[in-house]
Amino acid sequence: VNLNGEWFFYWQQFVPPSAMITSLPSTTQYIQVPGVWNEEIPGQSSWLATQGSGYATYALQILLSETGKPLALKVLTASTALELYVNGQKLGQEGRVGTSAQA
């Protein structure tokens, strides 16, 4: 199943997974996935956004029926560093996330 659509989006914020599980932060915005943030950052016209630089948290809530079947995620090529969490547990990482190229 493709997970295309509107995802929760927190520009210039690293929102910890624990905050996603308990309640959504009040600064929730939405962004279209697949896509790139420098095409549209909701409510922003930032130099960082237009340059394709910056950092953000993407989040998605998926509701599943309890079938007992094992599940998997296939993550296609990402042109960025990322950390992947499911139910608050870190499952993967690509590169090293930070607030700047030097971080």
Side-chain angles (χ1 to χ4, degrees):
V1 173
N2 287 322
L3 301 178
N4 300 350
E6 287 188 337
W7 285 46
F8 301 111
F9 183 73
Y10 305 93
W11 175 238
Q12 303 286 73
Q13 298 176 64
F14 286 134
V15 180
S18 59
M20 299 291 177
I21 292 171
T22 56
S23 65
L24 294 175
S26 60
T27 57
T28 300
Q29 296 176 311
Y30 301 93
I31 195 162
Q32 191 67 34
V33 173
V36 292
W37 64 37
N38 56 330
E39 289 179 357
E40 178 189 355
I41 294 181
Q44 300 284 330
S45 61
S46 164
W47 177 86
L48 288 172
T50 60
Q51 299 303 309
S53 299
Y55 60 96
T57 298
Y58 284 77
L60 182 66
Q61 182 178 28
I62 303 170
L63 302 176
L64 302 170
S65 63
E66 294 187 36
T67 63
K69 293 181 182 177
L71 300 173
L73 284 173
K74 179 179 181 180
V75 180
L76 301 177
T77 302
S79 300
T80 187
L82 65 89
E83 291 181 351
L84 175 67
Y85 291 83
V86 174
N87 294 335
Q89 181 180 353
K90 186 174 175 180
L91 294 185
Q93 178 175 333
E94 179 69 34
R96 188 176 66 187
V97 298
T99 57
S100 70
Q102 295 76 29

Coordinates of all heavy atoms in Angstrom, one line a residue:
V1 N 0.9 -1.2 0.0 CA 0.0 0.0 0.0 C 0.9 1.2 0.0 O 1.8 1.4 0.9 CB -0.9 0.0 1.2 CG1 -1.7 1.3 1.3 CG2 -1.8 -1.2 1.3
N2 N 0.7 2.1 -0.9 CA 1.4 3.4 -0.9 C 0.9 4.3 0.2 O -0.3 4.3 0.4 CB 1.3 4.1 -2.3 CG 2.1 3.4 -3.4 OD1 3.2 2.9 -3.1 ND2 1.5 3.4 -4.6
L3 N 1.8 5.0 0.8 CA 1.4 5.9 1.9 C 1.4 7.3 1.4 O 1.7 8.3 2.1 CB 2.4 5.7 3.1 CG 2.4 4.3 3.7 CD1 3.5 4.2 4.8 CD2 1.1 3.8 4.1
N4 N 0.9 7.5 0.2 CA 0.8 8.8 -0.4 C -0.3 9.6 0.2 O -1.3 9.1 0.7 CB 0.5 8.7 -1.9 CG 1.6 8.0 -2.7 OD1 2.6 7.7 -2.2 ND2 1.3 7.7 -3.9
G5 N -0.2 10.9 0.3 CA -1.2 11.8 0.8 C -0.7 12.9 1.7 O 0.5 13.2 1.6
E6 N -1.5 13.4 2.5 CA -1.1 14.5 3.4 C -0.5 13.9 4.7 O -1.2 13.1 5.4 CB -2.3 15.4 3.8 CG -2.8 16.3 2.7 CD -3.8 17.3 3.1 OE1 -4.5 17.1 4.1 OE2 -3.9 18.3 2.4
W7 N 0.7 14.3 5.0 CA 1.4 13.9 6.2 C 1.5 15.0 7.2 O 1.5 16.2 6.7 CB 2.8 13.4 5.9 CG 2.9 12.1 5.2 CD1 2.2 11.6 4.1 CD2 3.8 11.0 5.5 NE1 2.6 10.3 3.8 CE2 3.6 10.0 4.6 CE3 4.9 10.9 6.4 CZ2 4.4 8.8 4.6 CZ3 5.6 9.8 6.4 CH2 5.4 8.7 5.5
F8 N 1.6 14.8 8.4 CA 1.9 15.8 9.4 C 3.3 16.3 9.1 O 4.2 15.5 8.8 CB 1.8 15.3 10.8 CG 0.5 14.7 11.2 CD1 0.4 13.3 11.5 CD2 -0.6 15.5 11.4 CE1 -0.8 12.8 11.8 CE2 -1.8 14.9 11.8 CZ -1.9 13.6 12.0
F9 N 3.5 17.6 9.3 CA 4.8 18.2 8.9 C 5.1 19.3 9.9 O 4.3 20.2 10.2 CB 4.6 18.8 7.5 CG 5.9 19.4 6.9 CD1 6.9 18.6 6.5 CD2 6.0 20.8 6.8 CE1 8.1 19.1 6.0 CE2 7.2 21.3 6.3 CZ 8.2 20.5 5.9
Y10 N 6.3 19.2 10.4 CA 6.8 20.2 11.4 C 8.1 20.8 10.9 O 9.2 20.2 11.1 CB 7.0 19.5 12.7 CG 5.7 18.8 13.2 CD1 5.5 17.5 12.9 CD2 4.7 19.5 13.9 CE1 4.4 16.8 13.3 CE2 3.6 18.9 14.3 CZ 3.4 17.6 14.0 OH 2.3 16.9 14.3
W11 N 8.0 21.9 10.2 CA 9.2 22.6 9.6 C 10.1 23.2 10.7 O 9.6 23.8 11.6 CB 8.7 23.7 8.6 CG 9.8 24.5 8.0 CD1 9.9 25.9 8.1 CD2 10.8 24.1 7.2 NE1 11.0 26.3 7.4 CE2 11.6 25.2 6.8 CE3 11.2 22.8 6.7 CZ2 12.7 25.1 6.0 CZ3 12.3 22.7 5.9 CH2 13.1 23.9 5.5
Q12 N 11.4 23.0 10.5 CA 12.4 23.5 11.4 C 12.2 22.9 12.8 O 12.6 23.6 13.8 CB 12.5 25.0 11.4 CG 12.7 25.6 10.0 CD 14.2 25.4 9.5 OE1 14.6 24.3 9.1 NE2 14.9 26.5 9.5
Q13 N 11.7 21.7 13.0 CA 11.5 21.1 14.3 C 11.8 19.6 14.2 O 11.5 19.0 13.2 CB 10.0 21.2 14.7 CG 9.5 22.6 14.9 CD 8.0 22.5 15.2 OE1 7.6 22.0 16.3 NE2 7.2 23.0 14.3
F14 N 12.4 19.1 15.3 CA 12.6 17.7 15.5 C 11.6 17.4 16.6 O 11.8 17.7 17.7 CB 14.0 17.3 15.9 CG 15.0 17.3 14.7 CD1 16.2 17.9 14.9 CD2 14.7 16.8 13.5 CE1 17.1 17.9 13.9 CE2 15.6 16.8 12.5 CZ 16.8 17.4 12.6
V15 N 10.5 16.7 16.2 CA 9.5 16.3 17.2 C 9.7 14.9 17.6 O 9.8 14.0 16.8 CB 8.0 16.5 16.6 CG1 7.0 16.1 17.6 CG2 7.8 17.9 16.1
P16 N 10.0 14.7 18.9 CA 10.3 13.3 19.4 C 9.1 12.4 19.2 O 7.9 12.8 19.3 CB 10.6 13.5 20.8 CG 10.0 14.8 21.3 CD 9.9 15.6 20.0
P17 N 9.4 11.1 18.9 CA 8.3 10.1 18.6 C 7.3 10.1 19.8 O 6.1 9.9 19.6 CB 9.0 8.8 18.4 CG 10.4 9.2 18.0 CD 10.7 10.5 18.6
S18 N 7.8 10.2 21.0 CA 6.9 10.1 22.2 C 5.9 11.2 22.1 O 4.7 11.0 22.6 CB 7.7 10.3 23.5 OG 8.4 11.5 23.5
A19 N 6.2 12.4 21.6 CA 5.2 13.4 21.4 C 4.1 13.1 20.4 O 2.9 13.5 20.5 CB 5.8 14.7 21.0
M20 N 4.4 12.3 19.4 CA 3.5 11.8 18.4 C 2.5 10.8 19.0 O 1.3 10.8 18.6 CB 4.2 11.2 17.2 CG 5.1 12.1 16.5 SD 4.2 13.4 15.7 CE 5.6 14.3 15.0
I21 N 3.0 10.0 19.9 CA 2.1 8.9 20.4 C 1.1 9.5 21.4 O -0.1 9.1 21.4 CB 3.0 7.9 21.1 CG1 3.8 7.1 20.1 CG2 2.2 6.9 21.9 CD1 4.9 6.2 20.6
T22 N 1.5 10.5 22.2 CA 0.6 11.0 23.2 C -0.4 12.0 22.7 O -1.6 11.9 22.9 CB 1.4 11.6 24.4 OG1 2.3 12.6 23.9 CG2 2.2 10.6 25.1
S23 N 0.1 13.0 21.9 CA -0.8 14.0 21.3 C 0.0 14.7 20.3 O 1.2 14.9 20.4 CB -1.4 14.9 22.3 OG -0.4 15.7 22.9
L24 N -0.7 15.3 19.3 CA 0.0 16.0 18.2 C 0.4 17.4 18.7 O -0.4 18.0 19.4 CB -0.8 16.1 17.0 CG -1.1 14.8 16.3 CD1 -2.1 15.0 15.1 CD2 0.2 14.2 15.7
P25 N 1.6 17.9 18.4 CA 2.0 19.2 18.8 C 1.0 20.2 18.1 O 0.4 20.0 17.1 CB 3.4 19.4 18.2 CG 3.9 18.0 18.1 CD 2.7 17.1 17.8
S26 N 0.9 21.4 18.8 CA -0.1 22.4 18.4 C 0.3 23.1 17.0 O -0.5 23.7 16.4 CB -0.3 23.5 19.4 OG 1.0 24.1 19.7
T27 N 1.6 22.9 16.6 CA 2.1 23.5 15.4 C 1.9 22.6 14.2 O 2.6 22.8 13.2 CB 3.5 23.9 15.6 OG1 4.3 22.7 15.9 CG2 3.7 24.9 16.7
T28 N 1.0 21.7 14.2 CA 0.8 20.8 13.1 C 0.5 21.5 11.8 O -0.5 22.3 11.8 CB -0.2 19.7 13.5 OG1 0.1 19.0 14.6 CG2 -0.4 18.7 12.3
Q29 N 1.2 21.2 10.8 CA 0.9 21.5 9.4 C 0.8 20.2 8.6 O 1.1 19.2 9.1 CB 1.9 22.5 8.8 CG 2.0 23.8 9.6 CD 3.1 24.7 9.0 OE1 4.3 24.2 8.9 NE2 2.8 25.9 8.7
Y30 N 0.5 20.4 7.3 CA 0.4 19.2 6.5 C 1.2 19.4 5.2 O 1.2 20.6 4.7 CB -1.0 18.8 6.2 CG -1.8 18.6 7.4 CD1 -2.5 19.6 8.0 CD2 -1.9 17.3 8.0 CE1 -3.3 19.4 9.2 CE2 -2.6 17.1 9.2 CZ -3.3 18.1 9.8 OH -3.9 17.9 10.9
I31 N 1.7 18.4 4.6 CA 2.5 18.5 3.4 C 2.2 17.2 2.5 O 1.9 16.1 3.1 CB 4.0 18.6 3.6 CG1 4.7 19.1 2.4 CG2 4.6 17.4 4.2 CD1 6.1 19.7 2.6
Q32 N 2.2 17.4 1.2 CA 1.9 16.3 0.3 C 3.1 15.3 0.2 O 4.2 15.8 -0.1 CB 1.4 16.8 -1.0 CG 0.8 15.8 -2.0 CD -0.5 15.3 -1.5 OE1 -1.3 16.0 -0.9 NE2 -0.8 14.0 -1.8
V33 N 2.9 14.1 0.3 CA 3.9 13.0 0.1 C 3.4 12.1 -0.9 O 2.2 11.6 -0.8 CB 4.2 12.3 1.5 CG1 5.1 11.1 1.3 CG2 4.7 13.3 2.5
P34 N 4.1 11.7 -1.9 CA 5.5 12.1 -2.1 C 5.6 13.6 -2.6 O 4.7 14.1 -3.1 CB 6.0 11.2 -3.2 CG 4.8 10.8 -4.0 CD 3.7 10.8 -3.0
G35 N 6.7 14.2 -2.4 CA 7.0 15.5 -2.8 C 8.2 16.0 -2.1 O 8.9 15.3 -1.3
V36 N 8.6 17.3 -2.3 CA 9.7 17.9 -1.7 C 9.3 19.2 -1.0 O 8.5 19.9 -1.5 CB 10.9 18.1 -2.7 CG1 11.5 16.8 -3.2 CG2 10.4 18.9 -3.9
W37 N 9.9 19.5 0.1 CA 9.4 20.6 0.9 C 9.7 21.9 0.2 O 9.0 22.9 0.5 CB 9.9 20.6 2.3 CG 11.4 20.7 2.5 CD1 12.3 21.4 1.9 CD2 12.1 20.0 3.6 NE1 13.5 21.3 2.4 CE2 13.5 20.4 3.4 CE3 11.8 19.1 4.6 CZ2 14.5 19.9 4.3 CZ3 12.8 18.7 5.4 CH2 14.1 19.1 5.2
N38 N 10.7 22.0 -0.6 CA 11.0 23.3 -1.2 C 10.0 23.7 -2.3 O 10.1 24.8 -2.9 CB 12.5 23.5 -1.7 CG 12.9 22.4 -2.6 OD1 12.4 21.3 -2.6 ND2 13.8 22.7 -3.5
E39 N 9.1 22.8 -2.7 CA 8.1 23.1 -3.6 C 6.9 23.8 -2.8 O 6.3 24.7 -3.3 CB 7.5 21.9 -4.3 CG 8.5 21.3 -5.3 CD 7.9 20.1 -6.0 OE1 6.8 19.6 -5.6 OE2 8.6 19.6 -6.9
E40 N 6.7 23.4 -1.6 CA 5.7 24.1 -0.8 C 5.9 23.7 0.7 O 5.8 22.6 1.1 CB 4.3 23.6 -1.2 CG 3.2 24.2 -0.3 CD 1.9 23.5 -0.5 OE1 1.8 22.7 -1.4 OE2 1.0 23.9 0.2
I41 N 6.2 24.7 1.5 CA 6.2 24.6 2.9 C 5.0 25.4 3.4 O 5.0 26.6 3.2 CB 7.5 25.1 3.6 CG1 8.7 24.2 3.1 CG2 7.4 25.2 5.1 CD1 10.0 24.6 3.7
P42 N 4.0 24.8 4.0 CA 2.8 25.5 4.4 C 3.1 26.7 5.2 O 3.8 26.6 6.2 CB 2.0 24.4 5.1 CG 2.6 23.1 4.6 CD 4.0 23.4 4.3
G43 N 2.6 27.9 4.8 CA 2.8 29.1 5.6 C 4.2 29.7 5.7 O 4.4 30.5 6.4
Q44 N 5.1 29.2 4.8 CA 6.5 29.6 4.9 C 6.9 30.1 3.6 O 6.6 29.6 2.5 CB 7.4 28.5 5.3 CG 7.1 27.9 6.7 CD 7.6 28.8 7.8 OE1 8.5 29.5 7.7 NE2 6.8 28.7 8.9
S45 N 7.8 31.1 3.6 CA 8.5 31.5 2.3 C 10.0 31.7 2.8 O 10.5 32.8 2.7 CB 7.9 32.7 1.7 OG 8.0 33.8 2.6
S46 N 10.6 30.7 3.3 CA 11.9 30.8 3.9 C 13.0 30.6 2.8 O 12.8 29.8 1.9 CB 12.0 29.6 4.9 OG 13.3 29.4 5.3
W47 N 14.1 31.3 3.0 CA 15.2 31.1 2.1 C 15.7 29.7 2.2 O 16.0 29.1 1.1 CB 16.4 32.0 2.5 CG 17.6 31.8 1.7 CD1 17.9 32.4 0.5 CD2 18.7 30.9 1.9 NE1 19.1 32.0 0.0 CE2 19.6 31.1 0.9 CE3 19.0 30.1 3.0 CZ2 20.8 30.4 0.8 CZ3 20.2 29.3 2.9 CH2 21.1 29.5 1.8
L48 N 15.7 29.1 3.3 CA 16.1 27.7 3.5 C 15.2 26.8 2.6 O 15.7 25.8 2.0 CB 16.1 27.2 4.9 CG 17.2 27.8 5.8 CD1 16.9 27.4 7.3 CD2 18.5 27.3 5.4
A49 N 13.9 27.0 2.7 CA 13.0 26.2 1.9 C 13.2 26.3 0.4 O 13.2 25.3 -0.3 CB 11.6 26.6 2.3
T50 N 13.4 27.5 -0.1 CA 13.6 27.7 -1.5 C 14.9 27.1 -2.0 O 15.1 26.8 -3.1 CB 13.5 29.2 -1.9 OG1 14.6 29.9 -1.2 CG2 12.2 29.8 -1.6
Q51 N 15.9 27.0 -1.1 CA 17.2 26.4 -1.4 C 17.2 24.9 -1.2 O 18.2 24.2 -1.6 CB 18.3 27.0 -0.6 CG 18.4 28.5 -0.7 CD 18.7 28.9 -2.2 OE1 19.6 28.3 -2.8 NE2 17.9 29.8 -2.7
G52 N 16.2 24.3 -0.7 CA 16.1 22.9 -0.5 C 16.8 22.4 0.8 O 17.0 21.3 1.0
S53 N 17.2 23.4 1.6 CA 17.9 23.1 2.9 C 17.0 23.3 4.1 O 16.1 24.1 4.0 CB 19.2 24.0 3.0 OG 20.1 23.8 2.0
G54 N 17.3 22.6 5.1 CA 16.5 22.8 6.3 C 16.3 21.4 7.0 O 16.9 20.4 6.6
Y55 N 15.4 21.4 7.9 CA 15.1 20.1 8.6 C 13.7 20.2 9.0 O 13.1 21.2 9.2 CB 16.1 19.9 9.8 CG 16.0 20.9 10.9 CD1 15.2 20.8 12.0 CD2 16.7 22.1 10.8 CE1 15.1 21.7 13.0 CE2 16.7 23.1 11.8 CZ 15.9 22.9 12.9 OH 15.8 23.8 13.9
A56 N 13.1 19.0 9.2 CA 11.7 18.9 9.5 C 11.4 17.5 10.1 O 12.2 16.6 9.9 CB 10.8 19.2 8.3
T57 N 10.2 17.4 10.7 CA 9.7 16.1 11.1 C 8.5 15.8 10.2 O 7.6 16.6 10.1 CB 9.3 16.1 12.6 OG1 10.4 16.3 13.3 CG2 8.7 14.7 13.0
Y58 N 8.4 14.6 9.6 CA 7.3 14.1 8.9 C 6.6 13.1 9.8 O 7.4 12.3 10.4 CB 7.6 13.5 7.6 CG 8.0 14.3 6.4 CD1 9.2 15.0 6.3 CD2 7.1 14.5 5.4 CE1 9.6 15.7 5.3 CE2 7.4 15.3 4.3 CZ 8.7 15.9 4.2 OH 9.0 16.7 3.2
A59 N 5.3 13.0 9.9 CA 4.7 12.0 10.7 C 3.4 11.5 10.0 O 2.8 12.3 9.3 CB 4.4 12.5 12.1
L60 N 3.1 10.2 10.2 CA 1.9 9.7 9.6 C 1.3 8.7 10.6 O 2.0 7.9 11.2 CB 2.2 8.9 8.3 CG 1.1 8.3 7.6 CD1 0.1 9.4 7.0 CD2 1.6 7.5 6.4
Q61 N 0.0 8.7 10.8 CA -0.7 7.8 11.7 C -1.4 6.8 10.8 O -2.1 7.2 9.9 CB -1.7 8.4 12.6 CG -2.3 7.5 13.5 CD -3.3 8.1 14.5 OE1 -3.9 9.2 14.2 NE2 -3.5 7.5 15.6
I62 N -1.1 5.5 11.0 CA -1.7 4.4 10.1 C -2.5 3.6 11.1 O -2.0 3.0 12.0 CB -0.6 3.6 9.5 CG1 0.3 4.5 8.6 CG2 -1.2 2.5 8.6 CD1 1.6 3.8 8.1
L63 N -3.8 3.4 10.7 CA -4.7 2.6 11.5 C -4.8 1.2 10.8 O -5.1 1.2 9.7 CB -6.0 3.2 11.7 CG -6.0 4.6 12.3 CD1 -7.4 5.2 12.3 CD2 -5.4 4.6 13.7
L64 N -4.5 0.2 11.6 CA -4.6 -1.2 11.0 C -5.6 -2.0 11.8 O -5.7 -1.9 13.0 CB -3.2 -1.8 11.1 CG -2.1 -1.1 10.4 CD1 -0.7 -1.7 10.7 CD2 -2.3 -1.1 8.9
S65 N -6.2 -3.0 11.1 CA -7.0 -4.0 11.8 C -6.0 -5.0 12.4 O -4.9 -5.2 11.9 CB -8.0 -4.6 10.9 OG -7.3 -5.3 9.9
E66 N -6.4 -5.6 13.5 CA -5.5 -6.6 14.1 C -5.7 -8.0 13.4 O -6.6 -8.7 13.7 CB -5.8 -6.8 15.6 CG -5.5 -5.5 16.3 CD -5.6 -5.7 17.8 OE1 -5.3 -6.8 18.3 OE2 -6.1 -4.7 18.4
T67 N -4.8 -8.2 12.4 CA -4.8 -9.5 11.7 C -3.8 -10.5 12.1 O -3.9 -11.6 11.8 CB -4.6 -9.2 10.2 OG1 -3.3 -8.7 10.0 CG2 -5.6 -8.2 9.6
G68 N -2.8 -10.0 12.9 CA -1.7 -10.9 13.3 C -0.7 -11.1 12.2 O 0.3 -11.8 12.5
K69 N -0.9 -10.6 11.0 CA 0.1 -10.8 9.9 C 1.3 -9.9 10.1 O 1.1 -8.8 10.6 CB -0.6 -10.5 8.6 CG -1.7 -11.4 8.2 CD -2.2 -11.0 6.8 CE -3.4 -11.9 6.4 NZ -3.9 -11.5 5.1
P70 N 2.5 -10.4 9.8 CA 3.7 -9.5 9.9 C 3.6 -8.4 8.9 O 3.0 -8.6 7.8 CB 4.8 -10.5 9.6 CG 4.3 -11.7 9.2 CD 2.8 -11.7 9.4
L71 N 4.1 -7.3 9.2 CA 4.1 -6.1 8.3 C 5.5 -5.7 8.0 O 6.4 -5.9 8.8 CB 3.3 -5.0 9.0 CG 1.8 -5.3 9.3 CD1 1.3 -4.1 10.1 CD2 1.0 -5.5 8.0
A72 N 5.7 -5.0 6.9 CA 7.0 -4.4 6.5 C 6.8 -3.1 5.9 O 5.7 -2.7 5.4 CB 7.6 -5.4 5.5
L73 N 7.9 -2.3 5.9 CA 7.9 -1.0 5.3 C 9.0 -1.1 4.2 O 10.1 -1.6 4.5 CB 8.3 0.1 6.2 CG 7.2 0.6 7.2 CD1 7.7 1.6 8.2 CD2 6.0 1.2 6.4
K74 N 8.7 -0.5 3.1 CA 9.8 -0.4 2.0 C 10.0 1.1 1.8 O 9.1 1.8 1.4 CB 9.3 -1.1 0.7 CG 10.3 -0.9 -0.4 CD 9.8 -1.6 -1.7 CE 10.9 -1.5 -2.8 NZ 10.4 -2.1 -4.0
V75 N 11.2 1.5 2.1 CA 11.5 2.9 2.0 C 12.3 3.1 0.7 O 13.4 2.5 0.6 CB 12.3 3.4 3.2 CG1 12.6 4.9 3.1 CG2 11.5 3.2 4.5
L76 N 11.8 3.9 -0.2 CA 12.5 4.1 -1.4 C 13.6 5.1 -1.2 O 13.8 5.7 -0.1 CB 11.5 4.6 -2.5 CG 10.3 3.6 -2.8 CD1 9.4 4.2 -3.8 CD2 10.9 2.3 -3.3
T77 N 14.3 5.4 -2.2 CA 15.5 6.3 -2.2 C 15.0 7.7 -1.6 O 14.1 8.3 -2.0 CB 16.1 6.6 -3.6 OG1 16.5 5.3 -4.1 CG2 17.2 7.5 -3.5
A78 N 15.8 8.1 -0.6 CA 15.5 9.4 0.0 C 16.8 10.3 -0.2 O 17.9 9.8 0.0 CB 15.3 9.3 1.5
S79 N 16.6 11.5 -0.7 CA 17.7 12.4 -1.0 C 18.1 13.2 0.2 O 18.3 14.4 0.1 CB 17.4 13.2 -2.2 OG 17.2 12.4 -3.3
T80 N 18.1 12.6 1.4 CA 18.3 13.3 2.6 C 18.7 12.4 3.7 O 18.5 11.1 3.6 CB 17.0 14.1 3.0 OG1 17.3 14.9 4.1 CG2 15.9 13.2 3.3
A81 N 19.2 12.9 4.8 CA 19.4 12.1 6.0 C 18.0 11.9 6.7 O 17.1 12.7 6.6 CB 20.3 12.8 7.0
L82 N 17.8 10.7 7.3 CA 16.6 10.5 8.0 C 16.7 9.5 9.1 O 17.7 8.7 9.1 CB 15.5 10.0 7.0 CG 15.7 8.6 6.3 CD1 15.1 7.5 7.1 CD2 15.2 8.6 4.9
E83 N 15.8 9.5 10.0 CA 15.6 8.5 11.0 C 14.2 8.0 10.9 O 13.2 8.8 10.8 CB 15.9 9.0 12.4 CG 17.3 9.3 12.7 CD 17.6 9.9 14.1 OE1 16.6 10.1 14.8 OE2 18.8 10.0 14.4
L84 N 13.9 6.7 11.0 CA 12.6 6.1 10.8 C 12.2 5.5 12.1 O 12.9 4.6 12.7 CB 12.6 5.1 9.7 CG 11.3 4.3 9.5 CD1 10.2 5.2 9.0 CD2 11.5 3.1 8.6
Y85 N 11.0 5.9 12.6 CA 10.4 5.4 13.9 C 9.1 4.8 13.6 O 8.3 5.4 12.8 CB 10.3 6.5 14.9 CG 11.6 7.1 15.4 CD1 12.3 8.0 14.8 CD2 12.1 6.6 16.7 CE1 13.5 8.5 15.3 CE2 13.3 7.1 17.2 CZ 14.0 8.1 16.5 OH 15.1 8.5 17.0
V86 N 8.8 3.7 14.3 CA 7.4 3.1 14.2 C 7.0 2.9 15.7 O 7.7 2.2 16.4 CB 7.4 1.8 13.4 CG1 6.0 1.1 13.5 CG2 7.8 2.1 11.9
N87 N 5.9 3.4 16.0 CA 5.4 3.3 17.4 C 6.4 3.7 18.5 O 6.6 3.0 19.5 CB 4.9 1.9 17.7 CG 3.6 1.6 16.9 OD1 2.9 2.5 16.5 ND2 3.4 0.3 16.6
G88 N 7.2 4.7 18.2 CA 8.2 5.2 19.1 C 9.5 4.5 19.1 O 10.5 4.8 19.8
Q89 N 9.6 3.4 18.3 CA 10.9 2.6 18.2 C 11.6 3.0 16.9 O 11.1 2.9 15.8 CB 10.5 1.1 18.2 CG 11.8 0.2 18.2 CD 11.4 -1.2 18.2 OE1 10.2 -1.6 18.4 NE2 12.4 -2.1 18.0
K90 N 12.9 3.3 17.1 CA 13.7 3.6 15.9 C 14.0 2.3 15.1 O 14.6 1.3 15.7 CB 15.1 4.2 16.3 CG 15.9 4.7 15.2 CD 17.1 5.5 15.7 CE 18.1 5.9 14.6 NZ 19.2 6.6 15.2
L91 N 13.6 2.3 13.9 CA 13.8 1.1 13.0 C 14.9 1.3 12.0 O 15.4 0.3 11.4 CB 12.6 0.7 12.3 CG 11.4 0.3 13.2 CD1 10.2 -0.1 12.3 CD2 11.8 -0.8 14.1
G92 N 15.3 2.5 11.7 CA 16.3 2.7 10.7 C 16.9 4.1 10.6 O 16.3 5.0 11.2
Q93 N 18.0 4.3 9.9 CA 18.6 5.6 9.8 C 19.4 5.6 8.5 O 19.9 4.6 8.0 CB 19.6 5.8 11.0 CG 20.3 7.0 11.0 CD 21.2 7.2 12.2 OE1 20.9 6.7 13.3 NE2 22.2 8.0 12.1
E94 N 19.4 6.8 7.9 CA 20.2 7.0 6.7 C 21.0 8.3 6.9 O 20.4 9.4 7.2 CB 19.3 7.2 5.4 CG 20.0 7.5 4.2 CD 20.8 6.3 3.7 OE1 20.4 5.1 3.9 OE2 21.9 6.5 3.1
G95 N 22.3 8.2 6.9 CA 23.1 9.4 7.2 C 22.9 9.8 8.7 O 22.6 9.0 9.5
R96 N 23.1 11.1 8.9 CA 23.0 11.7 10.3 C 22.2 12.9 10.2 O 22.5 13.9 9.6 CB 24.4 12.0 10.9 CG 24.4 12.3 12.3 CD 25.7 12.5 12.9 NE 26.3 13.7 12.2 CZ 27.6 14.0 12.4 NH1 28.4 13.3 13.1 NH2 28.1 15.1 11.8
V97 N 21.0 12.9 10.9 CA 20.2 14.1 10.9 C 20.7 15.2 11.8 O 21.5 14.9 12.7 CB 18.7 13.8 11.3 CG1 18.1 12.8 10.4 CG2 18.7 13.2 12.8
G98 N 20.5 16.4 11.4 CA 20.9 17.6 12.2 C 20.3 18.8 11.7 O 19.5 18.8 10.8
T99 N 20.6 19.9 12.4 CA 19.9 21.2 12.1 C 20.7 22.0 11.0 O 20.3 23.0 10.5 CB 19.8 22.1 13.3 OG1 21.1 22.2 13.9 CG2 18.8 21.4 14.3
S100 N 21.9 21.5 10.6 CA 22.7 22.1 9.6 C 23.6 21.0 9.0 O 23.7 20.0 9.5 CB 23.5 23.3 10.1 OG 24.6 22.7 11.0
A101 N 24.2 21.4 7.9 CA 25.2 20.4 7.2 C 26.3 20.1 8.1 O 26.9 19.0 8.1 CB 25.7 21.0 5.9
Q102 N 26.7 21.0 9.0 CA 27.8 20.8 9.9 C 27.4 20.1 11.2 O 28.3 19.5 11.9 CB 28.4 22.2 10.4 CG 29.0 23.0 9.3 CD 28.0 23.7 8.3 OE1 26.9 24.0 8.7 NE2 28.4 23.8 7.1
A103 N 26.1 20.0 11.5 CA 25.7 19.4 12.8 C 25.8 17.9 12.8 O 25.6 17.2 11.9 CB 24.2 19.8 13.1

